[in-house]
Amino acid sequence: MRPTSKILLPLDTDTAEKAIAMAVLLRDEVAGLKVGLELIHVAGVEIFAKLREAVGEDVNIFYDGKFHDIPNTVAGAVRAIACWKPWMFTIHASGGKEMMRAAVEAVHRLLEMLRVR
């Protein structure tokens, strides 16, 4: 059973080990985990797999990647992170409608491809 908490645990640490330890300790008390730029840059993208292995597949992981670039690049980034199975991710609205639309369309195309298989 998922907790009724609405809190996302920010894993803003300087090592993967600290982030995983916090996640394991508090996984049942929070609504999800937040992986941000600090952790990604010290632990690499492997942190998503390590977290899922440590806390289970059913835990929500929010990737605070702060996407903001030209529409094609953001769409490509969205496709690239799909294998990490993020529950949600951030896109900066200041990137404009076209950029946000490209991200949404990339997600929809991925979902359609998965349904076809």
Side-chain angles (χ1 to χ4, degrees), residues 17-31:
E17 293 76 19
K18 287 179 190 175
I20 291 167
M22 282 195 317
V24 168
L25 181 66
L26 296 170
R27 80 173 295 277
D28 294 325
E29 308 301 322
V30 297

Side-chain angles (χ1 to χ4, degrees), residues 67-113:
F67 296 121
H68 182 277
D69 209 315
I70 62 172
N72 190 53
T73 298
V74 170
V78 168
R79 286 189 298 273
I81 68 166
C83 64
W84 305 344
K85 302 177 191 171
W87 167 57
M88 68 176 172
F89 54 88
T90 50
I91 296 177
H92 277 279
S94 63
K97 262 193 213 179
E98 291 305 313
M99 182 199 72
M100 292 186 292
R101 186 174 292 120
V104 170
E105 288 172 2
V107 169
H108 284 264
R109 274 188 243 117
L110 280 171
L111 292 173
E112 284 175 21
M113 286 173 42

Side-chain angles (χ1 to χ4, degrees), residues 29-51:
E29 308 301 322
V30 297
L33 309 172
K34 184 205 75 141
V35 171
L37 297 177
E38 179 179 7
L39 183 57
I40 275 287
H41 286 260
V42 297
V45 298
E46 298 82 16
I47 192 62
F48 289 92
K50 289 178 181 178
L51 284 168

